[in-house]
Amino acid sequence: MIRKYLLPLLAVVGVLVAIVAVIIDNRPVPAARPAIQPPKAPFASYLAGTGIIEASSGNIAVGTPVPGIVTAIYVKWGDHVTVGDRLFKVDDRDLQAQLIPALAKVKESEARLEQAKGQLKIGESVPDKRAISVEELNNRRAAVAIDTAALAASKAQIEQLRLEIERRTIRALVPGQILQVKVRPGEFAQSGALATPLMVLGNDTRLYLRVDIDEYDAWRVRTKAPAVAFVRGNPDLHAPLRFERIDPYVVPKTSLTGSSTERTDTRVLQVIYSFDPATLPGTYVGQQMDVFIQAPPSVSAHAAGSDAGRPTEGSP
């Protein structure tokens, strides 16, 4: 009797287990809360953009006018420098070697000039003017002039060598902070524009924020509109921004967010704001920030508002 009802009973239990499993699997899974809450826009109508912090002087890529081996580094990361401070030095031993014979040549030119002046003085001091011809006297005067010019040329060569030696010591042309050091003593420093600068220098007294605004929203940007920047990772850290300028040239977007709906062919208008770094401690040049700018409503919002009181098709 038990065997007669065992199989149907097991079948019913299996169906019930399957139904329970399907119900459990189909239950809505609560969305996981983000570890860090995104910032909330402080304006009813706004533009949102990503801003990258840069120095107020721009991020200056420091280079060298002549290639060579780096023999000394005078600064390190985070150092503040003033105009004229030494940054690094390129090997100048080849110029120092040229300076030694140039100094000797100056002494030789001075001796030749003294000799020519002595000969001229003797010729001019002869009591009887018939003892020396006019041509000889003119030749001695010309020799003095030639030796004077030769001495000046020798001194000019020394000055040129010293200027070339001075050029091998790279100095700061603007005050600021050393943001990056990508060169080491013993490395060969190339001249010209490099993909990776030897050093990066910038004035951090007031930081600038370069904000990318989508070209479709460029018409909504207002120069005097309030703007607020939020530090990524901590929406409680935010500060008001001061408008500086608009770069009047729309450029391809280079800072991508990684969103699946993001267009890689987007062009953006770059709006530059500034803020006092003391109001946002812990911010650094090159860091990204979330920016909200107060702006008039978009075209879609205007259209939605104008269609609100319009009867729909088929309504009386």
Side-chain angles (χ1 to χ4, degrees), residues 107-146:
K107 294 183 179 295
E108 180 183 355
S109 298
E110 289 175 345
R112 289 183 180 276
L113 178 59
E114 288 299 322
Q115 183 182 23
K117 285 181 177 181
Q119 292 294 327
L120 177 60
K121 184 177 180 181
I122 292 172
E124 290 177 338
S125 63
V126 173
D128 188 357
K129 299 302 180 183
R130 294 174 297 176
I132 184 170
S133 65
V134 175
E135 181 181 1
E136 177 63 22
L137 196 58
N138 289 336
N139 288 339
R140 294 186 181 187
R141 291 193 180 102
V144 171
I146 292 172

Side-chain angles (χ1 to χ4, degrees), residues 1-290:
M1 195 71 179
I2 296 176
R3 293 180 180 178
K4 181 179 179 181
Y5 296 104
L6 181 60
L7 290 177
L9 182 61
L10 291 175
V12 172
V13 171
V15 170
L16 292 176
V17 171
I19 293 174
V20 172
V22 170
I23 294 174
I24 293 175
D25 288 342
N26 289 336
R27 285 188 304 178
V29 179
R33 297 185 61 184
I36 300 173
Q37 293 297 324
K40 294 182 179 179
F43 312 112
S45 178
Y46 60 89
L47 287 171
T50 300
I52 297 181
I53 301 176
E54 61 182 32
S56 59
S57 61
N59 301 335
I60 301 172
V62 180
T64 171
V66 290
I69 301 296
V70 176
T71 57
I73 304 288
Y74 301 110
V75 294
K76 62 181 183 300
W77 300 268
D79 284 353
H80 284 82
V81 295
T82 58
V83 176
D85 286 351
R86 298 182 302 173
L87 302 179
F88 63 93
K89 183 180 180 180
V90 176
D91 188 11
D92 61 356
R93 287 176 294 177
D94 56 332
L95 297 176
Q96 296 287 357
Q98 297 177 38
L99 186 61
I100 296 172
L103 291 171
K105 189 174 181 179
V106 169
K107 294 183 179 295
E108 180 183 355
S109 298
E110 289 175 345
R112 289 183 180 276
L113 178 59
E114 288 299 322
Q115 183 182 23
K117 285 181 177 181
Q119 292 294 327
L120 177 60
K121 184 177 180 181
I122 292 172
E124 290 177 338
S125 63
V126 173
D128 188 357
K129 299 302 180 183
R130 294 174 297 176
I132 184 170
S133 65
V134 175
E135 181 181 1
E136 177 63 22
L137 196 58
N138 289 336
N139 288 339
R140 294 186 181 187
R141 291 193 180 102
V144 171
I146 292 172
D147 290 338
T148 301
L151 177 60
S154 299
K155 290 182 177 179
Q157 185 180 9
I158 289 178
E159 185 64 24
Q160 180 183 5
L161 287 172
R162 285 175 175 165
L163 288 175
E164 288 293 335
I165 291 172
E166 176 61 25
R167 288 182 68 206
R168 302 293 179 94
T169 299
I170 312 304
R171 299 178 181 272
L173 298 181
V174 297
Q177 185 184 35
I178 302 298
L179 305 176
Q180 265 189 338
V181 178
K182 290 295 185 179
V183 66
R184 304 290 185 273
E187 291 183 347
F188 185 83
Q190 293 280 1
S191 59
L194 304 177
T196 302
L198 303 177
M199 284 188 183
V200 178
L201 169 67
N203 192 335
D204 62 341
T205 304
R206 188 169 183 85
L207 295 179
Y208 277 27
L209 196 62
R210 185 176 294 270
V211 184
D212 289 344
I213 302 298
D214 193 290
E215 59 184 338
Y216 291 103
D217 291 323
W219 65 273
R220 299 174 62 195
V221 177
R222 301 293 183 268
T223 58
K224 296 183 178 179
V228 179
F230 290 82
V231 176
R232 288 190 170 183
N234 187 351
D236 294 332
L237 287 177
H238 59 276
L241 301 176
R242 185 179 76 188
F243 174 81
E244 294 294 339
R245 70 178 189 276
I246 294 177
D247 283 359
Y249 184 72
V250 177
V251 298
K253 185 177 182 180
T254 57
S255 178
L256 301 178
T257 62
S259 172
S260 59
T261 60
E262 186 172 32
R263 296 185 0 255
T264 56
D265 62 342
T266 301
R267 299 182 70 87
V268 293
L269 177 72
Q270 293 189 324
V271 186
I272 290 80
Y273 293 90
S274 69
F275 65 93
D276 184 355
T279 60
L280 288 176
T283 53
Y284 303 93
V285 174
Q287 185 175 347
Q288 287 188 334
M289 300 184 72
D290 296 318

